Amino acid sequence: MRCVYFDAFSGISGDMTVGALLQLGAPVEYLRDQLERVAGSSCRIEVEQVAVGGIWACRFAAIASEQAVLGEGHHGHRRYAEIRDQISASGLDPGVRERALRIFERLAEAEARVHGVAADDVIFHEVGALDSIADVVCAAAGLHSLAVEAIYASAFPSGSGTVHSRHGPLPVPAPAVVELLRGFELRLGDGAGELVTPTGAAIVAALGTPGPAPVLRLSGVGYGAGAARLADRPNVLRVLLGESATGIERDCVVVVETNIDDANPEWYEYAIERLFAAGALDVWMTPSQMKKNRPGVVLQVLCQPSDRDAVASVLFRETPAIGVRFAEVGRLKLPRTVECVATEYGEVRVKVASGGSGIENAAPEFEDCARLARESGVPLKAIYQAALAAFWSRRLKRS
């Protein structure tokens, strides 16, 4: 699996990200082509190699034409829904479009939480400017061109002081940045000024994986230059490119649990449904003997760190729980994909988990098998076995 590691000792921004990807080998002409499909001729790319603190780095800039700036009318202020529709309707390559949409979606969700509005009502100010849109599109294009499958990141320096915004002075890191970096590590009090921008944080939050990076077989390194001059460190983002040595992914999740001995068992099905709606990755119950010898259960939920409070709220609302425990745990997992196979009964999706050293697990999608069983009158287990046979037959032909 091809991975990149963002070594953000001086922070991260959109232009620094693109600069580092260009130095890693992302073709600048491909980025220009993808940007033109969104912005037409209203934005141009400038790239130069510069020395920053003795490190040879790539400085990237997306510059909106004077006519485009004057003609915007909203002076760079755009609603999230407007940007989303513009990217969705563009001729971007699918892999680029999907990444760009995910970045703006995460940014909109963070701004919505900060300002207490719906995501579709979020108005991007600085990030709504054409050059910021270009940073997002070009970062997505760079990652796509390098065939990056996973992104990991170091701890981020928080910076300090204030930053000017449309709403007036804001503390550093900006509120949207704090929302975006939930689950990632932040070094509080490290550095002066704004070191992590909303665009840079959104790229990592949307496409990256919290937690330690896997062992990498290093194949390249790129340095992206920032615009500001820092007194205590070179203002560059270092991005390492390599192959995961094991093919196994790592991330950090939260286990939320509570003991229950006074619930109507009929409530559990609805509570579990609401937990998955709140972001649960998995839910399970373990029988347990409680105080006064009462039978009960330990209800446990696995979720992302950013969903912990939402999961806890569901437990308090839908069960008699009056307290919950939580702990962050590291997790190893196999990369997962979905393939479609043809059987004599119809098509079935197969969930595939694979890693290095010949590891591969496959499981037919239950809902597909159940639907075909109802339609054909064939036993469910026969369709399940037919889907597996079709999958492994295709695998053997490939090898």
Side-chain angles (χ1 to χ4, degrees):
M1 181 177 61
R2 204 166 215 210
C3 308
V4 290
Y5 179 74
F6 287 179
D7 186 8
F9 53 82
S10 293
I12 186 173
S13 63
D15 58 337
M16 292 168 76
T17 301
V18 180
L21 295 175
L22 285 168
Q23 203 174 64
L24 274 170
V28 66
E29 291 306 320
Y30 179 71
L31 271 60
R32 285 197 173 101
D33 170 70
Q34 293 296 298
L35 180 57
E36 186 175 346
R37 299 185 190 192
V38 175
S41 60
S42 57
C43 192
R44 74 179 192 275
I45 288 175
E46 290 188 355
V47 176
E48 63 174 331
Q49 300 296 323
V50 297
V52 182
I55 298 174
W56 201 236
C58 179
R59 176 167 291 153
F60 168 86
I63 303 172
S65 66
E66 183 178 357
Q67 182 179 1
V69 173
L70 294 175
E72 279 179 350
H74 36 46
H75 302 290
H77 310 321
R78 291 178 172 85
R79 290 187 179 276
Y80 161 60
E82 177 186 347
I83 295 175
R84 180 191 61 207
D85 293 346
Q86 181 181 359
I87 293 174
S88 297
S90 70
L92 287 171
D93 288 345
V96 179
R97 181 170 60 247
E98 189 267 341
R99 284 179 170 92
L101 287 172
R102 281 165 59 191
I103 293 168
F104 274 111
E105 180 182 18
R106 287 299 297 269
L107 189 55
E109 290 170 350
E111 293 282 3
R113 287 195 294 267
V114 169
H115 299 296
V117 299
D120 276 359
D121 294 330
V122 165
I123 299 176
F124 292 132
H125 299 293
E126 293 81 4
V127 179
L130 192 55
D131 55 348
S132 293
I133 295 173
D135 286 349
V136 170
V137 171
C138 289
L143 291 165
H144 179 69
S145 69
L146 294 171
V148 172
E149 300 171 80
I151 296 173
Y152 298 90
S154 68
F156 294 95
S158 68
S160 60
T162 59
V163 62
H164 178 74
S165 77
R166 177 75 174 179
H167 304 283
L170 292 175
V172 171
V177 170
V178 175
E179 290 289 338
L180 286 162
L181 292 184
R182 288 191 185 194
F184 293 88
E185 294 182 353
L186 191 64
R187 298 195 303 269
L188 298 178
D190 182 10
E194 185 184 33
L195 300 181
V196 178
T197 70
T199 304
I203 292 169
V204 173
L207 308 179
T209 301
V215 176
L216 290 182
R217 187 174 295 107
L218 191 63
S219 60
V221 58
Y223 292 89
R229 185 178 181 86
L230 304 180
D232 61 341
R233 68 195 81 185
N235 190 18
V236 296
L237 170 67
R238 177 162 56 191
V239 177
L240 307 177
L241 175 68
E243 295 285 337
S244 170
T246 62
I248 299 176
E249 298 178 351
R250 304 184 185 191
D251 68 356
C252 185
V253 292
V254 174
V255 177
V256 183
E257 64 179 25
T258 186
N259 296 356
I260 302 175
D261 63 3
D262 56 349
N264 182 335
E266 294 178 331
W267 299 346
Y268 287 125
E269 181 178 1
Y270 182 75
I272 291 171
E273 174 188 315
R274 301 315 305 159
L275 286 167
F276 279 115
L281 301 172
D282 202 0
V283 182
W284 65 98
M285 295 187 295
T286 305
S288 183
Q289 207 71 19
M290 304 299 181
K291 60 185 178 183
K292 298 184 180 178
N293 210 32
R294 290 195 297 261
V297 298
V298 180
L299 178 55
Q300 294 174 292
V301 185
L302 196 68
C303 66
Q304 297 291 349
S306 58
D307 294 322
R308 183 198 65 193
D309 290 355
V311 163
S313 293
V314 172
L315 290 172
F316 288 133
R317 187 173 63 248
E318 302 298 345
T319 77
I322 58 175
V324 300
R325 303 177 295 278
F326 64 88
E328 289 195 2
V329 296
R331 182 173 65 158
L332 301 177
K333 60 180 183 177
L334 295 176
R336 300 163 202 183
T337 58
V338 176
E339 298 184 19
C340 194
V341 299
T343 74
E344 59 184 297
Y345 312 107
E347 290 193 340
V348 177
R349 288 170 296 170
V350 177
K351 296 172 286 188
V352 184
S354 57
S357 304
I359 298 172
E360 190 160 44
N361 299 318
E365 177 60 56
F366 170 79
E367 296 299 337
D368 289 357
C369 294
R371 174 178 53 80
L372 293 177
R374 296 187 193 99
E375 293 174 355
S376 65
V378 174
L380 173 65
K381 62 183 180 181
I383 294 175
Y384 192 95
Q385 291 165 355
L388 277 179
F391 171 81
W392 288 114
S393 175
R394 187 162 71 183
R395 272 295 189 274
L396 290 172
K397 288 179 182 178
R398 288 180 184 175
S399 60

